[in-house]
Amino acid sequence: MTIPKNHKPALGVCYYPEHWPEAMWGDDATRMVAMGLSWVRIGEFAWSRIEPQPSEFRWDWLDRAIQTLGDAGLKIIMSTPTATPPRWMVDRYPDMVAWDRHGRPRGFGSRRHYDFSHAEYREECVRITTILGERYGRNPHVHAWQLDNEYGCHDTTLSYSPVARAAFQDWLRDKYKSVAALNDRWGNVFWSMDYQRFDQIELPNLTVTEPNPAHAMDFRRFASSQVVAFNAAQEAALRPLTDAPLLHNYMGRVTDFDHFAVGANLDIATWDSYPLGFLEDRSDRDVDFKRDHRRCGDPDFQAFHHDLYRAVGKGRWWVMEQQPGPVNWAPHNPEPAPGMVRLWALEAIAHGAEVVCFFRWRQAPFAQEQNHAGLLRPDGKLSEGGDEVAALANELAGLPNLSIKAARTAIVFDYASQWAWEVQPQDAQFDYFRLVYDLYCGLRRAGHSVDILPPTTTDFGDRDRIFIPGLFAWPQALRAAVYGFSGEVVMGPRTGSRTDDFKFPMTLPPGLAGLKVTAVETLRADAHVTLQDGGMIQIWRERIESTWDVVEADLDGRSVRLSNGHLIYWAGWPDAAALDRWLGGTASDARHRETVSGATSIDYMTASFSVSP
Amino acid sequence: MTIPKNHKPALGVCYYPEHWPEAMWGDDATRMVAMGLSWVRIGEFAWSRIEPQPSEFRWDWLDRAIQTLGDAGLKIIMSTPTATPPRWMVDRYPDMVAWDRHGRPRGFGSRRHYDFSHAEYREECVRITTILGERYGRNPHVHAWQLDNEYGCHDTTLSYSPVARAAFQDWLRDKYKSVAALNDRWGNVFWSMDYQRFDQIELPNLTVTEPNPAHAMDFRRFASSQVVAFNAAQEAALRPLTDAPLLHNYMGRVTDFDHFAVGANLDIATWDSYPLGFLEDRSDRDVDFKRDHRRCGDPDFQAFHHDLYRAVGKGRWWVMEQQPGPVNWAPHNPEPAPGMVRLWALEAIAHGAEVVCFFRWRQAPFAQEQNHAGLLRPDGKLSEGGDEVAALANELAGLPNLSIKAARTAIVFDYASQWAWEVQPQDAQFDYFRLVYDLYCGLRRAGHSVDILPPTTTDFGDRDRIFIPGLFAWPQALRAAVYGFSGEVVMGPRTGSRTDDFKFPMTLPPGLAGLKVTAVETLRADAHVTLQDGGMIQIWRERIESTWDVVEADLDGRSVRLSNGHLIYWAGWPDAAALDRWLGGTASDARHRETVSGATSIDYMTASFSVSP
Amino acid sequence: MTIPKNHKPALGVCYYPEHWPEAMWGDDATRMVAMGLSWVRIGEFAWSRIEPQPSEFRWDWLDRAIQTLGDAGLKIIMSTPTATPPRWMVDRYPDMVAWDRHGRPRGFGSRRHYDFSHAEYREECVRITTILGERYGRNPHVHAWQLDNEYGCHDTTLSYSPVARAAFQDWLRDKYKSVAALNDRWGNVFWSMDYQRFDQIELPNLTVTEPNPAHAMDFRRFASSQVVAFNAAQEAALRPLTDAPLLHNYMGRVTDFDHFAVGANLDIATWDSYPLGFLEDRSDRDVDFKRDHRRCGDPDFQAFHHDLYRAVGKGRWWVMEQQPGPVNWAPHNPEPAPGMVRLWALEAIAHGAEVVCFFRWRQAPFAQEQNHAGLLRPDGKLSEGGDEVAALANELAGLPNLSIKAARTAIVFDYASQWAWEVQPQDAQFDYFRLVYDLYCGLRRAGHSVDILPPTTTDFGDRDRIFIPGLFAWPQALRAAVYGFSGEVVMGPRTGSRTDDFKFPMTLPPGLAGLKVTAVETLRADAHVTLQDGGMIQIWRERIESTWDVVEADLDGRSVRLSNGHLIYWAGWPDAAALDRWLGGTASDARHRETVSGATSIDYMTASFSVSP
């Protein structure tokens, strides 16, 4: 994953020529370039204007838009428009829409109204991708291609439609070959859940009580595989038609498909960084934190995703949509503090972003996102965010080329573990993302830069320390890498606590020699377990039998931390105080030190960014 | 709207002869008259007893009931029974029921089980209305007619049925003529939402994410128009058959149809005043307020609706159902404090009510409302509320005739703005009713009587001050009235912030010369913006560019209040402290001063009512 | 109900031979016996392994399992497997599944996926029960039979399926004979709800607003009757085929069917005692209580159910499933404090349990309950709970035979009252179970042992005091027993407040000579009514007219407690402080004194159990 990099950070913007009179395009393009933007993304929602009726194409406007933008000096990111199938598509394939977990079809009238398992729609996507690739794949102004947009947004990965059910049954048939094998590996004997034929297997929604976790887990794997296959089909169609890099634009805290697997076929990972919206809408932070950070966002939330998508992009990653002012979709939508738009972009660059694009050029005066700020106000004047971006572009022009290097510390992040512990949380508070994110924040407080690694990692390189918290089931190669590593490996809680078939290991977790988790208890939010030297165990607590060295015990005398050579095991979920102690304290001078050469300090609360001498 | 009035307030009661043995009717009627009641409403739920089988009528009991009540000296409000279609009607038209937003038909077994868009049911209503009008339209005992009952109650304005969808498509066809015009005016290009034909347009529920707000807003307008048309059909049928005034009985805080438009065809507006039930069930007040007022209700809540329905009734309004004791439907159902039943009635009379009817005569011993108090207990004795009503009737007998006059202060209330900001709130706390109601309460604290005006107002008369907060889109005539007015007009926040097509004005809101709202932010409940001179801006805050005079700025130096001659603009939502300061302080001696001649003071907490000398 | 008893308490365990390789059975059985267990329950989820295809049976494994367990010296509780119909059954009868209140079929994939009203499935259950009875009814190792498992668990009593609707219509036809009678007794005139034919009557879900309470109440009675009939069908099939006692295994706080009616046909009642899971999941206790008791559970919750099921079993009752460690299904799943597993079992024995079985033998390594502790860990070692059980078995061996005797105090518990007040709560906080349970806890604090009596009781015997709180409607025989009793009878609040037809008594509640409840109010949680001598009235408060003696009045002078000879009436719901005062104070030395001879004191917080000399 450590790809040598030497890049000059650049800025860009999302633009929708189809939203504006053609007479405005030229001036818009000129102003973009004048502001210091070099990239422009177009086309991801334009299907109804490209192909207003089946096989009836309108190329003229798009040809001219590309020409106008390119002629002004902008590099174009062209998008496949498959996130918004036109209305006639839904008429043609009424069963193409996804069904929600209540068994209701999700209608036309917004976006992402398709089921990843729908074979004919997937073919339609290949068709439009091919046609677009043929027309613009070698266009000199097109420097990158985005496939679809924001897979999984609006809870669209999981569908409970008849189409999905049939595809799931096929997927099971392919995986298990015989229904007897499936019954055995799922443990269907448990409640007389044995099947006689694959076509009897329903999707795991609307059961009387919880379905078999192995059933639910396979459905989650299946659903993720459908996203991967959907993306791969477009990639395969487009690849021969262009030399430009292919990318997908991901969201924040979407964990219901395996981004590493989608990213495997692509050249760059990009994501949508909405610091204020995400703080209100997708954060586990408490109300005090949310109030105090309401105008700057949670610094670590962006940093975590920057590091995650750097891994998904195998070193190459961008921000495709950055919030330039208030958004329209969170419960509360404040303005960023002065300087934050600049700072967010610099934070991304410090984490290795090659490009930071802002969403969007001009605030849209119609439809769903009228209250979403742009770089321009509806009346065409620069917004506050626009002012900051213009200044930032000047500032960036003076930066040297940047490189990223591997961090000394890494965390293994495993999408399947998120699914597994959603399927079987054992405590209402248990969430894999939160477990990993708590750790990430502790590492940042301690002054560490962090790499995220996929569970397919086979070699940890020359790093100092690897963390593998909460891993559902061990890939053999990962466990081999753990044993073969020269640095420190910190595991637990809950690591290795199931087999790949979602069974409890008869020899007890975590699957490490000399250590057994003999029992688990989960803890109310008002009943943590206090530690003598400070901090507490929260949510999850394990009982250990072991030949390892006890590093720390709780007041009940039960082991909390254990070690065995380079292996360390944490037998509970530490709160922030315990975590800071375990990680070596907080490093106030190193807060938000970044991986990229040059950037040494970012202070969100004062919107300051320092470059080391 | 200022209609000269000179009336003698009267009392009445709701009665259901079909619920009681005929032997009881005579005694009941005699006791009503002896208690000082002069009006009795009957018939609104009696369809199954009037027409037990299709076209098979039972007039005998109703003829005798009317005769008995009328002979006793009571004036009868006869009702059309269309709020409770009989079971055989649903057998005949299984598709007549409304569907909820989850797509589920709402079954028979309670009331209001019809879809306003169902053409055949509307015809059935015209039929029964005509038959009733022919029979009783000239009956000397029938002094008023109520059409249906409580439109919109139980969330019945909005239906997502196939019948509603077809009617909505017709409505759109009629409004836009061509689908191209609809695509353009809705901005369907935004997410490839263009339609090719009107019959492709679904209702805006169950979309993947939020639908186009223009789509949702048109659905809200359509739904309101169906209520108007439903009512108009009954009005048209009945008008030629009677000289008695026609009325509808509205609910409290039902805002999903345009009451002004329904009221336009009618002679009187009446409403249901349930002070304790509404405090528990429909109030935004905080828990301390609710606890302290649990036995008296929120005085302003009734006052606001009295003033609103005075406007809806073009000056003529009644309370048709007043709570006489505990009700059965709120989360908690306490007894009124002693004296409150009297005081509520006097408050209504002080706001100009011609008649106050109590719901109901005798507590019902069966079905849904067994725990709803009446003037009589089930055993026939007077309840506590009944005692108060008897005393009140004596008290009223001594009052002179009363007149209402226009208030010096008025607020424009616009149902469409409620719909618009439900469709696009931008903050989870934003609610148009609450914005208006907060202002209303501030004006009451400051000692002002208030008129409510519809958005169709073209002339503010000789009033002192008009408030137009949160108006969705300017009717041209209203804007002309603003400019032509000699008094003060206070606008904002959020006033004039969209076009009628639910577009953002390219020239920026609020559509007043010399003033632009360049950006908006919304505020967490724990992050208000403090004002130097007291109070705070909450929920909604605007950024202003303007040539107007700055009356007040916040600590960030941003304009909060601005003026330009007689025009004033508020760039945020003031809390109560700021509002009191802006409105000139609270007027303790004038609290609840009423519009009617004579009444000067009502004190809810002590249940006292004073008449000025 | 007072059955002379003289039994030696025994221990047992739930075991699933079909979950384990046959090679393990022998060793498991040997270890069970060595640990001191004498009973083993098997078979309740094994249908798919007994009859993997329709009419294709696999008896070999079950024969051998029974032989192995029996030969080791264990007494077997054989179960009918009808709680988990195999997949092929659902293929055969797709309409056999229940529908939830939203109108959605509840799918295959977990358990209890059947509608109690489905006639063909009921026949299939009779078929498999008969076949099992024929094979094992006289097997010398089979000492008891369990029919189905946990009726009502996962909210499965109420079904809104077409099958249930048809059965409900038949039930109504049978009860009312004519639809005119139904209209009259339901009071359908109220909102024109009259029916013309029984087949028009829908189930009372998805109505526009609340359905007629008489309609809803009959649906609840119908649903309960279906459980009774379902159970009776199995009982009738099995009774001729075995001499062993028949039992059903009930859950905690499941109140939606009449357990007394189900139990009438059976010989023993057993239940599932999960003290920690129930505290988190089914308790009304406040957060402080839950935190403090998180490792021991709510002592009274188990005690109440022990006493309830002693009544349901007409004196004979067991615990069939006791929690031996953390469970998997509550929001938080802590470990029991050391000693609690022993103490819970002793508490049950002190209440008269003949047998306490633990769920389960070995923690299951697959399917839904992987995190549910067993007596053995997955690796075969004893868990902490297993250790305690082994010690307990030794301890029990030294106990003498035990008898139960009638308690001096009893509470009438009426399932129909629970349904009635769910149908018509009048306050969001009102819950019949909570009303009874509050009283039960007060009696326990006061040091009393308590018997629970069914509403069919006709004679209270020589007890000291009977409580009948919140009774929906008086059975004539119960009222006669009240008047004929020589001890004290405490009634109210809300007792006798409806007729059997869910009508309000025209002569006013509670149906006791000389006392009338003239009005009721309900109270917010922050607005109790303080009593002069301590404590408060909460939630429910009545206004009384009476010739009885006033024992206590509140500060408003309204009667709170009244007496008339041996009859006492409580006109409100007392909080704990008032209740303690009314019941004669708390008896610290007598806390958790048990009914059984020998046991005098159980202290949950210290896990101690004392036997009197």
Side-chain angles (χ1 to χ4, degrees), chain A residues 271 273 299 301-311 317-319 344-345 347-349 351-353 440 452 594 604:
Chain A
W271 82 289
S273 180
F301 194 88
Q302 280 71 252
F304 177 83
H305 284 87
H306 295 336
D307 293 339
L308 172 63
Y309 287 119
R310 195 171 61 246
W317 76 281
W318 304 0
V319 170
W344 291 328
E347 185 187 23
I349 289 166
H351 282 262
Y440 180 87
I452 304 295
E594 301 301 338
Y604 259 61

Side-chain angles (χ1 to χ4, degrees), chain B residues 465-482:
Chain B
R465 197 156 48 158
I466 305 296
F467 291 84
I468 313 178
L471 183 80
F472 164 61
W474 282 109
Q476 287 313 314
L478 184 66
R479 183 149 49 180
V482 165

Side-chain angles (χ1 to χ4, degrees), chain A residues 19-191:
Chain A
H19 292 183
W20 307 103
E22 187 167 345
M24 295 173 75
W25 298 350
D27 188 52
D28 280 344
T30 305
R31 291 179 71 186
M32 289 175 196
V33 172
M35 198 191 286
L37 307 179
S38 43
W39 289 87
V40 61
R41 181 187 64 169
I42 63 169
E44 83 271 22
F45 300 135
W47 198 336
S48 76
R49 296 298 164 109
I50 292 171
E51 191 180 9
Q53 301 283 350
S55 299
E56 178 189 314
F57 292 94
R58 296 276 181 276
W59 295 117
D60 48 346
W61 71 269
L62 187 51
D63 289 350
R64 290 196 301 273
I66 290 171
Q67 194 68 37
T68 303
L69 294 165
D71 285 352
L74 293 159
K75 289 186 270 191
I76 291 171
I77 306 143
M78 186 67 202
S79 311
T80 69
T82 53
T84 51
R87 174 67 222 193
W88 53 257
M89 186 75 75
V90 181
D91 287 349
R92 178 176 286 183
Y93 308 110
D95 63 351
M96 69 171 278
V97 298
W99 288 27
D100 69 18
R101 66 192 173 86
H102 304 289
R104 300 175 306 195
R106 304 179 74 180
F108 183 87
S110 60
R111 61 178 175 177
R112 303 209 55 72
H113 40 278
Y114 68 85
D115 193 315
F116 282 102
S117 301
H118 193 271
E120 293 88 344
Y121 181 60
R122 200 183 289 177
E123 279 313 300
E124 293 275 2
C125 292
V126 166
R127 181 183 64 82
I128 192 72
T129 297
T130 303
I131 291 170
L132 280 165
E134 287 168 349
R135 190 167 193 91
Y136 301 118
R138 309 291 178 195
N139 185 304
H141 299 311
V142 174
H143 290 255
W145 282 85
Q146 175 180 311
L147 307 186
D148 202 282
N149 187 55
E150 297 174 355
Y151 292 142
C153 192
H154 312 308
D155 193 18
T156 50
T157 302
L158 304 180
S159 168
Y160 299 90
S161 69
V163 162
R165 184 178 57 214
F168 180 50
Q169 292 169 352
D170 286 343
W171 186 91
L172 292 172
R173 213 174 266 119
D174 189 56
K175 173 171 180 179
Y176 293 102
K177 312 306 180 197
S178 83
V179 78
L182 177 144
N183 285 331
D184 181 55
R185 288 172 60 188
W186 283 12
N188 280 334
V189 64
F190 192 67
W191 281 343

